[in-house]
Amino acid sequence: MKIIQKPLRLIKIALIAIFGVSLSLTLQPETATAQEIDTGVDLYSTYVFRGVAFSGPAIQPYVEFSAGGFAIGAWGSQGIDGSAADGYMGFQEMDLYAAYEFDFGLSLGITDYYYPGSEYFDGDSHAFELNAGFEIENFSLSGNYILNEAEGAGSSGSDLYFEAGLSLGAADLFLGAGDGWHSSDGEFALVNVGLSTSKEITITDTFSIPLSGAVILNPDTEQFYVVVGVSF
């Protein structure tokens, strides 16, 4: 199968667009007070993404700049189930993203998926995905499309993933389906069904820790997961 060598050109296009929007937002006085740089980390018992478990316990840091509805950031996942003695540091993922959220519930963005181990500037090491989502009251719907085939990142090209969510008050129901790298045989399939919930653990009167949990079933691979995480 021929590999489509587009990622480096797409990186340049994406970065030009990202920094162009960022600069225009920075130069507008009315948005200056809304600019923010944030960082944090999540700790999860298992890293499960769209119904697929990529690692056991994982540390997931992020750094994000936002201005109004625009956000640009970096997100990573470092599995802590590796062993230096075995020469394996655990599963690693390091992504870049940019997105814009409109005030009527629509969000649009792009994500660059990269997995350390392959050379970063190799055009075959990045999978680029277009992201779109819409929320109205207690219902959400998202669609995602991989632009390129990248052997180093595991994408087939034209990979699709759709997810619908429904807030039930105390918990959220979600259902996702996709093809390409999302399913076991590359064909479109239901891969991510579950229920998630969250709460705050009060430590002091002024400090609390967000706790989240989910039960997840992947009907395609017939795997079931129970995941819990804390955020700082």
Side-chain angles (χ1 to χ4, degrees):
M1 185 177 295
K2 184 178 180 180
I3 304 300
I4 302 174
Q5 298 292 344
K6 291 184 178 179
L8 286 180
R9 181 169 62 86
L10 290 171
I11 289 176
K12 293 177 181 178
I13 294 173
L15 289 178
I16 290 172
I18 288 168
F19 289 111
V21 175
S22 177
L23 180 60
S24 66
L25 289 170
T26 302
L27 293 178
Q28 297 178 28
E30 61 270 21
T31 64
T33 57
Q35 295 179 10
E36 180 181 1
I37 296 180
D38 189 26
T39 186
V41 63
D42 301 318
L43 306 177
Y44 277 95
S45 58
T46 307
Y47 173 29
V48 180
F49 177 62
R50 297 177 181 173
V52 177
F54 285 82
S55 77
I59 300 173
Q60 299 181 338
Y62 72 87
V63 178
E64 181 180 279
F65 167 80
S66 61
F70 175 78
I72 178 174
W75 177 93
S77 184
Q78 171 62 62
I80 57 177
D81 49 356
S83 170
D86 297 332
Y88 175 62
M89 300 304 295
F91 175 82
Q92 295 178 313
E93 178 180 342
M94 307 295 163
D95 304 335
L96 297 175
Y97 63 89
Y100 190 87
E101 183 175 351
F102 299 89
D103 56 11
F104 55 90
L106 176 68
S107 61
L108 300 173
I110 185 170
T111 301
D112 166 19
Y113 296 96
Y114 169 70
Y115 304 93
S118 60
E119 297 180 357
Y120 190 81
F121 294 108
D122 184 340
D124 201 30
S125 297
H126 297 260
F128 288 87
E129 182 181 72
L130 296 179
N131 315 117
F134 185 72
E135 292 186 20
I136 181 170
E137 297 182 351
N138 62 339
F139 178 76
S140 64
L141 181 65
S142 64
N144 306 272
Y145 176 78
I146 293 289
L147 292 170
N148 62 300
E149 181 179 352
E151 186 177 17
S155 65
S156 302
S158 301
D159 314 54
L160 290 168
Y161 179 79
F162 299 97
E163 185 171 304
L166 180 65
S167 177
L168 305 175
D172 297 320
L173 178 66
F174 55 88
L175 185 151
D179 61 11
W181 67 356
H182 300 102
S183 65
S184 57
D185 60 3
E187 298 298 320
F188 197 83
L190 186 63
V191 298
N192 190 24
V193 180
L195 198 67
S196 64
T197 187
S198 62
K199 66 178 184 179
E200 297 279 336
I201 300 176
T202 302
I203 306 299
T204 68
D205 293 339
T206 58
F207 179 70
S208 62
I209 298 176
L211 175 69
S212 61
V215 291
I216 303 166
L217 173 67
N218 186 328
D220 178 51
T221 59
E222 299 186 31
Q223 299 298 300
F224 178 73
Y225 307 100
V226 179
V227 179
V228 67
V230 293
S231 302
F232 298 93

